[in-house]
Amino acid sequence: MSDNLYELLASRFPKDRARPCFILSDGSEISYSVLEENAGRVAARLMAEGVEPGDRVALQAEKSAEVIMVYLGVLMAGAVFVPLNAAYTRTEIDYFIGDAEPKVFVTDPPGFVRDAARHAPLKQAVARAKADLASLIYTSGTTGRSKGAMLSHGNLAENARALHAAWGFSEKDVLLHALPVFHVHGLFVALHCSMLSGGPMIWLPKFTDAEVLGGLKRATVMMGVPTFYTRLLANPNFTKASAPNVRLFISGSAPLLPSTFAEFEERSGQRILERYGMSEAVIITTNPLNGDRIAGSVGFPLPGVELRIGGGEGEPSANGVIEIRGPSVFSAYWHMPEKTKEEFTRDGFFITGDVGRKDPDGRVWISGRAKDLIISGGYNVYPKEVELVLDELPGITESAVIGLPHADFGEGVAAVCTGKGVEADIIAEARKQLAAYKAPKRVIFVADLPRNTMGKVQKNVLRQTYADLFKS
Ligand code: AMP
């Protein structure tokens, strides 16, 4: 067996390949044998079309089981999978295609798989070494150009094994999969955990209340972004009885509000397990399966992951930029040697750009992105610290604290909130709990905070929208 990730996954497919891999929304199933055969045909087709090991194969399409057949076929052929967000526009796609230079660009996975049927399935995956490239994942890039994180077969295999163990996956598990598959969360984290168990996935094209509530009747594990959990809580039909077999609810890709964690526990009796990851390293830390899952903390580094706080402000447990080194950390940004050099320390730690702290026992807390740090009148303001105070005030559902250009202070602190309240009262209350320079100078209410598909609040959008707030 080589280090081709496909070989690891296939070695864990169930002995009885007739067992389901995908359970679709209409109740129909796709077996592991169909998956395996089609992946083999896709690989054969790609090779017949001249795709060689290391060549890129890009894909932009809506979620379907065929996307996964193409993904596995690309791995088998030793090529490099480049998934692209289905929402990208033509101009954005031009950039990605120009950058990744794929040999093949798949836009209709069902059609691609169908046409591959005339090729005899490849039986043996092309041998790959651990360091060989398996996938290029373009970062969501809220500033500057999106970068292609180069993930190797070894990076993905090591992370998959670590998560499978950390979260106690077994062949008895049924994973509810409602995540998109152009992002590491749905494509690698969820898919690989399930495939290493040889179990089925309840495969939903996207999150809808009705389908998720239906799927939860049978699922044992659900992975989601925080908005999945807030949507479930907003639905009165979601009760303890809705998820009779679920042993684990996992959340990540964006911070889970402590209030969501608490409300979810009250409603379902389950403590959501929060973990932290990114395109450049897949999963980095996780709360424990057995042990204390603490709201607001992302838990402990996975085995083999070294995590340290760089540029901390001196005191133990001070906030600083999180740096990581370990088996799942990517090697470089595609075609960006300078950028790569800037974002790794001399001793090989990746500078994540997330600000956080670590308790003496190793537990990690995230307080935001370094670029979201506000410097007001020369003082550092960590938005998370302010958000935690605001989120506790009556009437406020969620807040996003940003720095906006301010003539006196350089940046002024502003809060954009959902829920309701009176601006002057909120500012007065915040000033009781926070130093004056940290308290917001303006509070704005909106119906919804802008989010990307992974549920992350787009602070760059807010900063643009309210750029002139302190200018009037
Ligand atoms: P992406 O590369 O799109 O997966 O985005 C990665 C970023 O998402 C990280 O650098 C964090 O800023 C954020 N993130 C992921 N998981 C969490 C979490 N559990 N809590 C807070 N931020 C998170």
Side-chain angles (χ1 to χ4, degrees), residues 140 183 253-255 274-279 298 354 366 369 456:
S140 32
H183 183 270
S253 289
E274 184 173 12
R275 92 302 177 283
Y276 157 59
M278 58 176 53
S279 304
V298 292
D354 288 315
I366 293 179
R369 299 282 303 164
K456 286 193 236 293

Side-chain angles (χ1 to χ4, degrees), residues 329-343:
V329 178
F330 78 128
S331 56
Y333 289 118
W334 179 253
H335 285 167
M336 288 188 180
E338 286 309 313
K339 194 84 203 153
T340 304
K341 220 155 120 198
E342 276 168 29
E343 300 201 7

